[in-house]
Each structure stands twice: as structure tokens, then as C-alpha cells.
């Protein structure tokens, strides 16, 4: 299939007001300082290209989940500062995302200048894809560019409403480089993977991964399952799992998938268990058949690490979503770290390695492996929905 959408390369933007939906929803600490600017850096190629072509760039993003109106805690002010530093160009923050003052600021932009609108979610209408709010935003644009992969699974005003209005006016709605890159990597992995193709799924709940397991199983050579969700598979196999996470509603699904995926699905054989859900709790390594009734599985064990790592190092395409254990606790991070290391080795040996966004991307960053992976997605929910085979509304609306 491949990526079939028009990009900014195909259009004339000089002197035009180009509305770029970016994903600047960055993590911050308690003081508001940005703790990881990967999403800002990921959008730079598109912004730089537009500036170089003499566009008048209007950037729009959300940050966090402000409910019901403006909240200084979720202001994009720190993002404007970091973006300006990374670009080497001052990008002022507009006081709002719509209205007469913002329209004036946009009209004063010169070719090659950029302006960041304040958090679009300060208007609850954004998430409702409200037509009136979309129309106000659309007034700021001659061209629409979507580079916000992390929000592309949402039909909101700034991801769906604005491009839809502009298209009805005969104006272009196209993809930025980050959106294209994300969909190229994920799409190629699914459609034309170099084999062996190995997917690794972890995290807490089976329920959240049912659709992706069903979509991936026919396509992969191996499906490795770790993390909290593995214990529901053991339970489905008739093992006792002590106090480990159990997703009761997914037991039937697990039983069925274990039959359908026989020969493909790889489950842990040993587990690092803890007495309580805390880093310093009493812990030991046991075979999965021997989890004590008063302990819970919090990481994969050394025997499992070796087997999983061997499979990964032998692969040509690796897709990873979800940690192997409670990596936030250093005493239970070894499994997740070892998988990151195996991906690093596979990459060095020529494999294409892709990490879905969210917790696994955070784990890879935190453990220091970010530069050793072929592609780390900037979108957790969006990459999962894409892998599930769902249509992403923010992509679907763009010009073919
Ligand atoms: P998810 O959002 O479903 O990808 O889950 C990520 C979360 O799963 C992380 O916060 C991990 O700490 C958690 N997790 C992974 N393994 C386990 C486990 N064995 N028991 C409890 N939580 C886990």
C-alpha cells in the first residue's frame, strides 16, 4: 500500500499562511520544566522546511488535559521557549488560539516567520470537533499541514475540522514529514516486513491489546508477550498466578489466541516476583508454574530474557509496544532493559526496529537506548490504532 498522501513537498507555500497541527504535548515536571523534548525535535524538519520556503507558519497543538477552559498549568509558553531555542528563531506564543488579536498577529507574520497558538484544548470545542471553533481556526490558514501523528487517531477541530473546511474552500491539506515518516515505518513493517518479523507486546492489560494481537498475529513470525498481561495468559493456561495482574474478562480471548497462535506466541517461563507492589519489596525469581500465592509477578526472569533476546537478535523487523515489567521500579526493570538491549543489537546487525509510543518509548528513553533504535514513534495511542488496522481520521482527511 504505502503512504499515499500529498506532503508539503508538492505544494507552493511561499507567502502563504500555513497552519501546522503539531504534537507538542511534552512531559513536564512539577515546576513546568520540559523533561523530554523529543516531540518538539521531531517536528523540526517540517517547520524548518516551511520556513525555508518562505511560509508564514502558524503552529497549533494541545498540551495535557485542561478541562473546561484556560489553565496556566497547561500553557504552551515553555514549549515556545524550547522551540525557539531549537530553531534558532524566535517563535512567539499567541495569547489564544482564535479571535481578533490572534488574527492580527497572524496577519503581521512575514515570510519565514512562525507563531505558536496557545493550547487548543483551552477550548472544550476542540475535542468535540465543533464546527464554529474549527471555522475560527480555519480563518488563520491558507494551507493545512498535519504533522501531529500522536493526535492523528482523534477527529478533533484542529485535526479534522480545519482540514475539512479548507478542503471545501479548495485549499490544500497535506502531511508533514513526521507524519509521513511515522506511517512509512509502521506501514512498511506491516505490509512488507523483512523476515523474520517479531512483535513484542507488554504492558498492563490484555484488554487494551486484544485488537492489536488479532491484527498482528497473522502477519508476524513470532509474537512475544511479556509484562503484566502475560499473567492472564498463564491463568488461561491453568497456572496459578498468585497476586499478579489478572484481566478476568480477557481469559477466553487468551485461550483462543493461544490455540490460534500456537508456534508463534512466546510467553515467559520464569518471573521476578515481589511480595508487594513496590520497588523495595521482598523479591525472588521463580518458574511461572511456581508463583507463590502471596507474591505477584513484576518482571520477566533471566531464562525468559535469554530466550526473548535470542529471538529478537535473529529478527529482521522488530516491533515493540509495552514494557516487560514494572520498569518504573529499578528492581523490576531488568527485563525491559534487556529487551531494549536486544533491540539495540538487532539494529546494529541491520534489522529495522520500531518502538511504539507511550510507555515503551518512555522506557527506551529512560534507559538510554533512544539513539540505538531505528524508529521510536511519537504516538502511543495512534501507533496502536494504526497497527490495529483502524483508519486515522487526521490522516484520512488529507489530500491523496
Ligand atoms: P500499558 O499502558 O498497558 O502499556 O502498561 C504500561 C504499564 O504496565 C507500566 O506502567 C508498567 O509498570 C505496567 N506493568 C508492566 N508489567 C507489569 C506487571 N508485571 N505488573 C504490574 N504492572 C506492570
Amino acid at each position: 500500500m504505502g503512504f499515499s498522501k500529498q506532503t508539503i513537498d508538492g505544494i507552493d507555500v511561499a507567502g502563504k499562511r500555513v497552519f501546522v497541527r503539531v504534537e507538542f504535548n511534552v512531559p513536564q515536571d512539577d515546576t513546568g520544566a520540559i523533561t523530554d523534548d523529543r516531540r518538539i525535535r521531531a517536528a523540526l524538519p517540517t517547520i524548518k522546511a516551511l520556513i525555508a520556503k518562505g511560509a508564514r507558519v502558524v503552529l497549533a497543538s494541545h498540551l495535557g488535559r485542561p478541562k473546561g477552559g484556560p489553565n496556566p498549568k497547561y500553557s504552551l509558553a515553555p514549549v515556545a521557549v524550547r522551540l525557539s531555542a531549537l530553531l534558532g528563531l524566535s517563535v512567539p506564543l499567541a495569547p489564544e488560539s482564535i479571535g481578533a488579536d490572534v488574527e492580527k498577529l497572524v496577519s503581521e507574520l512575514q515570510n519565514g516567520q512562525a507563531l505558536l497558538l496557545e493550547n487548543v484544548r483551552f477550548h472544550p470545542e476542540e475535542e468535540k470537533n465543533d464546527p464554529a471553533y474549527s471555522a475560527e481556526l480555519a480563518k488563520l490558514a491558507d494551507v493545512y499541514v498535519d504533522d501531529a501523528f500522536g493526535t492523528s487517531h482523534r477527529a478533533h477541530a484542529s485535526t479534522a475540522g480545519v482540514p475539512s473546511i479548507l478542503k471545501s474552500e479548495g485549499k490544500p491539506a497535506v502531511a508533514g514529514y513526521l507524519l509521513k515518516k511515522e506511517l512509512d515505518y509502521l506501514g512498511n513493517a506491516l505490509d512488507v516486513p523483512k523476515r523474520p518479523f517479531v512483535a513484542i507486546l507488554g504492558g498492563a492489560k490484555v484488554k487494551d491489546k486484544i485488537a492489536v494481537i488479532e491484527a498482528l498475529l497473522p502477519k508476524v513470525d513470532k509474537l512475544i508477550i511479556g509484562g503484566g498481561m502475560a499473567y492472564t495468559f498463564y491463568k488461561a493456561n491453568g497456572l496459578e498466578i498468585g497476586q499478579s495482574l489478572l484481566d478476568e474478562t480477557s481469559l477466553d480471548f487468551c485461550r483462543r489466541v493461544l490455540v490460534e497462535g500456537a508456534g508463534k506466541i512466546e510467553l515467559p517461563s520464569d518471573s521476578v516476583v515481589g511480595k508487594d507492589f513496590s520497588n523495595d519489596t521482598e523479591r525472588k525469581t521463580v518458574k511461572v508454574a511456581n508463583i507463590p500465592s502471596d507474591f505477584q509477578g513484576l518482571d520477566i526472569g533471566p531464562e525468559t530474557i535469554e530466550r526473548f533476546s535470542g529471538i529478537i537478535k535473529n529478527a529482521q523487523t522488530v516491533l515493540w509496544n509495552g514494557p516487560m515489567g514494572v520498569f518504573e521500579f529499578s528492581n523490576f526493570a531488568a527485563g525491559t532493559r534487556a529487551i531494549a538491549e536486544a533491540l539495540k543489537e538487532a539494529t546494529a546487525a541491520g534489522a529495522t526496529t520500531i518502538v511504539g509510543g507511550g510507555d515503551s518509548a518512555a522506557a527506551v528513553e529512560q534507559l538510554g537506548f533512544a539513539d540505538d533504535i531505528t524508529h521510536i514513534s511519537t504516538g502511543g495511542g495512534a501507533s496502536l490504532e494504526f497497527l490495529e488496522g483502524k483508519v486515522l481520521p487526521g490522516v484520512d482527511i488529507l489530500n491523496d
Side-chain angles (χ1 to χ4, degrees):
M1 289 194 305
F3 184 69
S4 63
K5 297 295 178 180
Q6 209 180 335
T7 72
I8 55 171
D9 287 337
I11 51 164
D12 177 22
V13 295
K16 303 235 171 89
R17 298 169 305 152
V18 180
F19 183 103
V20 190
R21 179 48 159 109
V22 283
E23 164 79 58
F24 286 166
N25 183 26
V26 289
Q28 293 168 282
D29 67 16
D30 294 342
T31 70
I34 296 168
T35 54
D36 178 2
D37 64 3
R38 203 165 51 93
R39 282 179 158 166
I40 305 176
R41 284 184 281 116
L44 293 178
T46 296
I47 299 170
K48 283 182 177 166
L50 291 170
I51 286 172
K53 290 180 182 194
R56 304 173 178 204
V57 181
V58 180
L59 298 162
S61 178
H62 73 282
L63 176 68
R65 296 180 181 277
K67 289 289 169 212
N71 178 343
K73 185 170 168 229
Y74 298 109
S75 169
L76 281 163
V79 171
V81 172
R82 181 67 60 92
L83 175 65
S84 301
L86 289 168
L87 272 178
L89 174 81
S90 170
V91 181
L93 177 71
E96 243 282 26
S97 55
I98 55 168
D101 290 349
V102 178
E103 283 164 38
K104 182 161 181 292
L105 286 172
V106 170
S107 73
E108 288 165 0
L109 280 175
Q110 302 293 308
N111 294 4
Q113 288 186 335
L115 172 76
L116 176 62
L117 303 180
E118 185 53 287
N119 194 340
V120 286
R121 287 199 189 162
F122 284 177
H123 292 265
E125 300 90 337
E126 158 68 4
E127 288 183 84
K128 294 183 188 134
N129 192 6
D130 175 76
Y133 179 62
S134 299
E136 286 296 305
L137 287 174
K139 278 190 199 167
L140 308 173
D142 304 311
V143 174
Y144 177 86
V145 175
D146 186 359
D147 217 19
F149 176 68
T151 326
S152 62
H153 58 316
R154 304 282 181 229
H156 293 169
S158 66
T159 61
V162 177
S164 151
I165 291 171
L166 291 192
K167 280 174 75 176
S168 73
E169 294 168 350
K171 295 171 181 166
V174 303
Y177 296 139
L178 174 63
L179 190 72
K180 174 171 165 43
K181 182 172 145 193
E182 292 269 11
L183 294 168
D184 276 344
Y185 272 114
L186 292 170
N188 286 338
L190 287 187
D191 297 337
V192 284
K194 290 183 289 168
R195 293 186 183 276
F197 175 21
V198 174
I200 309 149
L201 296 176
K205 290 196 210 110
V206 182
K207 200 158 41 88
D208 297 345
K209 305 273 159 71
I210 286 181
V212 77
I213 291 173
E214 296 204 279
L216 287 177
L217 201 51
K219 303 196 171 186
V220 298
D221 299 297
K222 286 280 182 197
L223 179 62
I224 290 176
I225 294 177
M229 65 189 251
Y231 299 94
T232 301
F233 282 88
Y234 299 146
K235 186 79 179 176
N237 256 345
L239 295 184
E240 285 312 317
I241 60 171
Q243 305 302 310
S244 309
L245 276 186
L246 172 62
D247 184 352
E248 196 95 46
T249 58
S250 301
L251 281 169
D252 284 342
F253 169 78
C254 291
R255 276 184 209 110
R256 177 165 63 77
V257 155
L258 285 171
V259 173
E260 281 171 17
K264 278 192 180 181
I265 292 185
E266 297 282 337
L267 286 169
S269 52
D270 60 348
S271 196
V272 183
V273 296
K275 188 102 200 222
D276 301 298
F277 189 79
S278 73
N279 188 43
D280 298 318
T281 189
E282 180 189 343
R283 65 179 192 279
K284 49 189 172 188
T285 301
V286 298
K287 298 277 188 214
V288 293
N290 301 329
I291 298 176
S293 61
D294 53 344
F295 278 66
Q296 51 189 296
L298 297 175
D299 197 8
I300 53 175
E303 183 182 285
T304 303
I305 287 177
E306 203 176 320
R307 180 164 45 96
F308 285 4
S309 299
I311 296 169
I312 292 164
K313 287 177 202 167
N314 186 39
Q316 285 297 310
T317 306
V318 184
L319 190 65
W320 181 19
N321 193 305
M324 294 291 100
V326 186
F327 75 99
E328 298 93 334
F329 297 158
S330 58
N331 285 332
F332 299 97
T336 301
R337 176 192 302 276
I339 296 305
E341 260 161 23
L343 256 75
K344 172 182 172 165
E345 280 190 41
T347 316
T352 302
T353 56
I354 302 164
V355 175
D359 274 311
S360 16
V364 166
E365 290 275 343
Q366 188 184 312
L367 298 170
F369 290 100
D371 294 333
D372 305 308
I373 307 291
T374 312
H375 179 68
I376 302 179
S377 176
T378 52
S383 62
L384 263 187
E385 291 201 14
F386 182 79
L387 294 174
E388 287 167 9
K390 288 197 185 141
V391 171
L392 304 178
V395 179
D396 196 42
I397 186 88
L398 303 176
N399 294 350
D400 287 311

